[in-house]
């Protein structure tokens, strides 16, 4: 039935001429549509492809020296139609390399010589490093890799983990560390940009291929390890009672203390007193991260995320006992996973577990988040649900955060706005609204479609509140049911792949059966700003009319609150559809049996740069 429904939608949209899009498309992107890797209905084209790697990594961390070292074997499959004569490796720890170009400050003690690569072999043959790393990129020439062929890379790597400047990864305290972006990886080679050669400089985030990981992590026996993927040797690393607690948490709605303060003091958690190796596996994910500590507590619970299969996701919180807010974070995290699965975006949480790790950042990774402690309850809730929401965008959907941060941060922002009040009904989360209302219309305010690596002052507003408002306004216009159908069409077409912005716009059009290019163009492509005002208020008999003028060119919903002389109120709402024809004024007529005293324009999520004309006093 669902397949038939989608087929009908495709026919309807095709007949409506969505392919005749008014959206500007650079020639470098249009070629993907010409080559049939992408389509104007939003679905992947008949010739869509993406490359894949399998990583077998053995990594050791020494807390005494902060040395991360390991060996790596990569099997890289060229599914593209192109013959590759080079591959580009990403060395993200080189953000801390002496002389590297950075957009963030680094403590002098954290500057290093970068990642050391040794014993590089390609297909079993020694490969001298003819090209040295250039910052976080390391291009490597290889024998011709033809379409459909697999190349094997073997190498050793090492670097010193940052101690004082925690940018998404590094030391947290004495005995706690978060290790991310630690392994040399092959960059994305895609149908739009070819090799991803954009350097990582600190602000913009990541774009990685979906890969399979087999990771063996060796640390001192006093340390516990949490990581992306499933722990394959639980009974080898944990003593029996902890194995039983973990198993119980996977089936329980209750909070279970897997490791409490007494366990930490007793120090008999792990089977080995020397070093111990933890073996994790994760399939078809875009990254792999590790958290470890010798003194963290661990609370866990689980939630049914798929009613059809009864599948459950275990929710873990690993934290320092001195950070009191983390005792509650497990509740926030559990509700977030539940709401993602059953409320918004109403899509079953895709992974077996989600770990919130008590760190020094506010950053997401597949199946993990690295969150700082927060004393304010509302802030702790908003941070928790924001970062966990990233599970869907960018990890399940594989978006390019480096170029289009709004394709994941915008979704995490609207997810935060919607889910936070589900956790605490007193929260009115207006994250990002004040910065956008301040910057809109100024020279620093660039179109959302500006590549993220080409923005500075506009990066935050373009990545977070502006796209979130765009999603929210379309949700309001379509209604929850149709909006979710459109969003689900997008998710179903592109999960596990690499959607670009036009894939999103066209999928939403197709899924809704409605050409919304007028809004995508205005809100995402065009310069401009939102600015509504009240032009007039009239009352004739028992009917009132409020005329709203749009002095800007960004369509936003219209919300007015009418105050009558007896202090009763009425609220009137119009979605962005009221501006679809390009009109500059909207008249709102409503029953008004009582005399109007005042009209106020605006709402929490209605952007407006000038609110000086948003109140009209009736004389």
């Amino acid at each position: 039935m669902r397949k038939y429904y989608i087929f009908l939608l495709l026919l309807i949209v095709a007949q409506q001429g969505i392919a005749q899009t008014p959206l500007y498309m650079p020639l470098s992107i249009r070629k993907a549509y010409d080559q049939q890797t992408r389509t104007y209905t939003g679905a992947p084209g008949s010739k869509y492809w993406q490359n894949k790697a399998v990583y077998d990594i053995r990594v050791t961390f020494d807390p005494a020296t902060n040395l991360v070292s390991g060996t790596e074997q990569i099997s890289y499959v060229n599914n593209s139609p192109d013959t590759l004569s080079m591959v580009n490796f990403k060395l993200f720890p080189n953000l801390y390399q002496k002389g590297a170009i950075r957009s963030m400050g680094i403590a002098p003690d954290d500057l290093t010589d970068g990642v050391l690569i040794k014993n590089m072999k390609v297909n079993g043959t020694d490969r001298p490093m003819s090209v040295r790393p250039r910052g976080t990129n390391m291009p490597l020439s290889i024998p011709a890799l033809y379409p459909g062929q697999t190349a094997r890379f073997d190498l050793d790597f090492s670097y010193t983990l940052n101690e004082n400047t925690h940018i998404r990864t590094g030391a947290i305290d004495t005995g706690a560390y978060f290790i991310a972006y630690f392994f040399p990886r092959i960059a994305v080679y895609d149908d739009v940009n070819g090799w991803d050669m954009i350097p990582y400089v600190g602000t913009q985030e990541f774009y990685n291929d979906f890969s399979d990981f087999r990771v063996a992590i060796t640390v001192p026996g006093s340390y516990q390890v949490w990581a992306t993927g499933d722990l394959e040797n639980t009974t080898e690393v944990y003593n029996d009672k902890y194995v039983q607690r973990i198993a119980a948490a996977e089936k329980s709605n209750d909070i279970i203390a897997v490791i409490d303060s007494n366990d930490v003091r007793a120090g008999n958690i792990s089977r080995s007193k020397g070093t111990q190796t933890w073996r994790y596996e994760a399939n078809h994910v875009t990254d792999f991260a590790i958290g470890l500590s010798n003194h963290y507590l661990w609370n866990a619970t689980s939630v049914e995320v798929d009613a059809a299969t009864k599948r459950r996701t275990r929710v873990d919180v690993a934290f320092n006992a001195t950070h009191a807010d983390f005792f509650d974070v497990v509740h926030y995290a559990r509700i977030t996973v539940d709401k993602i699965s059953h409320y918004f975006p109403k899509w079953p949480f895709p992974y077996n577990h989600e770990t919130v790790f008590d760190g020094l950042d506010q950053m997401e990774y597949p199946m993990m988040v690295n969150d700082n402690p927060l004393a304010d309850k509302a802030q702790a809730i908003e941070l928790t649900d924001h970062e966990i929401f990233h599970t869907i965008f960018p990890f399940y959907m594989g978006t390019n955060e480096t170029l289009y941060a709004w394709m994941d941060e915008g979704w995490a922002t609207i997810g935060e706005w919607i889910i936070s009040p589900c956790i605490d009904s007193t929260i009115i989360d207006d994250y990002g609204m004040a910065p956008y209302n301040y910057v809109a219309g100024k020279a620093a305010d660039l179109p959302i479609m500006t590549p993220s690596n080409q923005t500075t002052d506009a990066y935050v507003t373009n990545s977070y509140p502006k796209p979130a408002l765009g999603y929210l306004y379309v949700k309001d216009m379509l209604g929850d049911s149709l909006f979710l159908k459109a969003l689900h069409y997008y998710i179903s077409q592109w999960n596990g792949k690499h959607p670009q912005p036009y894939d999103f716009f066209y999928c939403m059009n197709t899924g809704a059966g409605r050409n919304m290019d007028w809004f995508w163009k205005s809100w995402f492509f065009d310069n401009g700003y939102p600015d509504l005002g009240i032009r007039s208020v009239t009352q004739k008999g028992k009917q009132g009319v409020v005329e709203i003028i749009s002095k800007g060119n960004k369509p936003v919903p219209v919300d007015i609150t009418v105050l009558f002389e007896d202090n009763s109120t009425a609220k009137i709402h119009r979605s962005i559809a009221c501006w679809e024809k390009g009109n500059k004024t909207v008249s709102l007529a409503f029953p008004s049996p009582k005399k109007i005293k005042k009209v106020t324009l605006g709402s929490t999520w209605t952007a407006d740069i000038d609110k000086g004309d948003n109140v009209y006093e009736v004389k």
Side-chain angles (χ1 to χ4, degrees):
M1 186 67 180
R2 292 181 65 191
K3 290 182 179 178
Y4 179 68
Y5 169 76
I6 293 298
F7 177 72
L8 283 179
L9 279 180
L10 292 175
L11 286 178
I12 292 170
V13 172
Q15 291 169 358
Q16 290 177 341
I18 281 182
Q20 304 303 314
T21 172
L23 300 180
Y24 168 73
M25 183 181 289
L27 294 176
S28 58
I29 296 176
R30 187 175 297 279
K31 71 178 182 180
Y33 293 83
D34 295 340
Q35 294 171 357
Q36 301 176 49
T37 56
R38 297 168 193 266
T39 71
Y40 291 104
T41 65
S46 59
K47 296 182 180 179
Y48 177 79
W49 55 267
Q50 64 190 47
N51 291 351
K52 183 173 182 176
V54 176
Y55 290 86
D56 192 333
I57 303 170
R58 291 171 173 78
V59 60
T60 298
F61 177 67
D62 183 357
T65 61
N66 277 14
L67 183 67
V68 179
S69 60
T71 64
E72 186 173 17
Q73 182 182 103
I74 309 169
S75 295
Y76 182 71
V77 183
N78 180 19
N79 291 316
S80 81
D82 306 321
T83 298
L84 304 180
S85 59
M86 63 84 73
V87 296
N88 184 41
F89 277 81
K90 292 289 187 179
L91 305 179
F92 292 133
N94 277 359
L95 179 71
Y96 294 88
Q97 189 177 34
K98 298 170 186 174
I101 298 173
R102 288 179 290 269
S103 61
M104 295 179 167
I106 301 292
D109 290 348
D110 279 333
L111 295 175
T112 71
D113 293 328
V115 180
L116 176 63
I117 305 291
K118 296 173 61 178
N119 302 322
M120 171 71 79
K121 297 179 185 292
V122 180
N123 296 328
T125 301
D126 289 336
R127 195 72 180 174
M129 302 296 288
S130 57
V131 179
R132 294 298 175 185
R134 299 199 295 263
T136 56
N137 285 321
M138 187 182 75
L140 178 70
S141 61
I142 62 170
L145 181 61
Y146 296 101
Q149 286 190 338
T150 299
R152 174 176 160 176
F153 300 86
D154 294 88
L155 59 94
D156 300 336
F157 66 93
S158 62
Y159 71 95
T160 301
L161 187 70
N162 44 295
E163 179 82 33
N164 304 298
T165 313
H166 191 104
I167 302 176
R168 305 187 179 98
T169 179
I172 298 165
D173 59 33
T174 302
Y177 306 85
F178 197 87
I179 304 175
Y181 324 116
F182 63 94
F183 59 96
R185 72 192 71 201
I186 297 178
V188 176
Y189 182 81
D190 67 23
D191 61 316
V192 175
N193 298 306
W195 284 110
D196 173 20
M197 300 297 296
I198 300 173
Y200 170 50
V201 296
T203 302
Q204 288 77 31
E205 295 178 10
F206 306 94
Y207 182 38
N208 299 315
D209 264 326
F210 285 90
S211 302
D212 296 341
F213 291 91
R214 310 289 180 266
V215 184
I217 307 155
T218 300
V219 294
S222 59
Y223 279 78
Q224 313 308 313
V225 174
W226 297 265
T228 299
D230 298 321
L231 180 60
E232 297 296 310
N233 63 334
T234 307
T235 58
E236 295 177 11
V237 295
Y238 281 116
N239 284 318
D240 289 343
K241 70 176 179 180
Y242 302 100
V243 174
Q244 294 167 8
R245 291 176 185 175
I246 295 168
E250 291 174 347
K251 302 174 183 177
S252 178
N253 294 332
D254 298 328
I255 308 301
I256 292 176
V258 179
I259 299 175
D260 61 23
S261 298
N262 292 328
D263 298 315
V264 172
R265 282 192 294 269
N268 192 32
I269 302 169
S270 304
R271 288 193 178 275
S272 173
K273 299 301 181 185
T275 59
Q276 188 161 253
T277 299
W278 306 66
R279 303 183 187 281
Y280 279 87
E281 292 190 7
N283 293 323
H284 207 61
V285 297
T286 58
D287 206 351
F288 191 99
I290 303 166
L292 60 148
S293 176
N294 62 4
H295 61 276
Y296 272 20
L297 310 188
W298 177 7
N299 284 338
T301 182
S302 64
V303 59
E304 183 182 286
V305 296
D306 190 340
T309 64
K310 304 299 181 185
R311 182 172 62 83
R312 301 182 72 88
T313 290
R314 194 184 74 229
V315 179
D316 303 323
V317 177
F319 63 103
N320 190 325
T322 63
H323 297 154
D325 59 306
F326 272 91
F327 286 96
D328 294 321
V329 165
V330 67
H331 298 282
Y332 312 153
R334 186 184 189 281
I335 295 172
T336 300
V337 171
D338 178 64
K339 294 303 179 183
I340 287 173
S341 303
H342 303 297
Y343 182 56
F344 186 80
K346 206 172 183 178
W347 191 273
F349 197 84
Y351 303 120
N352 292 336
H353 78 83
E354 177 70 17
T355 301
V356 180
F357 195 82
D358 177 1
L360 295 176
D361 217 298
Q362 302 184 351
M363 188 61 192
E364 68 280 356
Y365 316 80
M367 307 180 213
M368 300 192 76
V369 300
N370 175 19
D371 286 352
N372 59 291
L374 291 166
D376 182 84
K377 178 183 178 182
Q379 290 181 5
I381 289 172
E382 292 159 8
L383 174 60
T384 300
D385 55 34
H386 181 105
E387 301 305 339
I388 293 177
F389 204 91
H390 275 301
T391 297
I392 308 297
F393 311 93
F395 302 125
Y396 190 58
M397 296 298 291
T399 58
N400 186 339
E401 300 175 88
T402 309
L403 288 178
Y404 308 111
W406 58 269
M407 293 186 74
D408 76 295
E409 295 295 356
W411 284 111
T413 300
I414 186 177
E416 171 188 335
W417 290 346
I418 291 172
I419 293 175
S420 294
C422 297
I423 301 172
D424 184 335
S425 61
T426 66
I427 291 176
I428 300 175
D429 186 350
D430 61 351
Y431 172 71
M433 290 303 302
Y436 180 46
N437 284 325
Y438 172 77
V439 78
K442 295 182 171 65
D445 183 26
L446 301 174
I448 296 172
M449 281 293 290
T450 307
S452 300
N453 68 321
Q454 296 178 23
T455 63
T456 51
D457 295 340
Y459 179 79
V460 171
T461 51
N462 271 9
S463 302
Y464 295 81
K466 284 171 65 177
L469 289 173
Y471 306 148
L472 189 68
Y473 296 163
V474 171
K475 178 176 179 288
D476 174 51
M477 177 177 67
L478 296 179
D480 288 350
S481 179
L482 185 56
F483 178 80
L484 286 178
K485 284 182 180 178
L487 181 56
H488 288 181
Y489 178 68
Y490 169 53
I491 294 174
S492 68
Q493 293 299 311
W494 285 100
N495 76 81
K497 302 181 181 71
H498 289 312
Q500 303 285 333
Y502 298 88
D503 304 315
F504 165 69
F505 299 136
Y506 298 151
C507 273
M508 292 298 289
N509 288 350
T510 298
R514 180 170 177 174
N515 191 328
M516 296 179 285
D517 286 348
W518 71 274
F519 179 73
W520 306 133
K521 179 178 183 300
S522 175
W523 196 260
F524 288 83
F525 288 77
D526 292 348
N527 283 299
Y529 54 87
D531 185 9
L532 301 184
I534 302 174
R535 172 179 275 185
S536 65
V537 177
T538 59
Q539 187 173 17
K540 293 182 179 181
K542 295 184 178 182
Q543 182 170 347
V545 177
V546 177
E547 188 175 41
I548 304 298
I549 183 170
S550 175
K551 298 178 294 179
N553 64 332
K554 293 289 187 185
V556 295
V558 177
D559 287 280
I560 64 171
T561 301
V562 182
L563 175 66
F564 298 102
E565 279 202 337
D566 65 354
N567 289 326
S568 63
T569 60
K571 293 183 180 294
I572 297 110
H573 170 78
R574 297 289 185 272
S575 77
I576 54 171
C578 68
W579 306 110
E580 185 171 356
K581 295 180 180 180
N583 47 300
K584 297 299 290 183
T585 61
V586 170
S587 293
L588 282 69
F590 54 93
S592 180
K594 295 171 283 190
K595 188 174 181 180
I596 299 172
K597 182 178 180 181
K598 183 172 69 173
V599 176
T600 304
L601 171 67
S603 70
T604 301
W605 297 286
T606 300
D608 194 335
I609 67 165
D610 178 12
K611 298 184 180 181
D613 51 6
N614 286 17
V615 177
Y616 192 105
E617 301 273 359
V618 178
K619 304 300 184 181

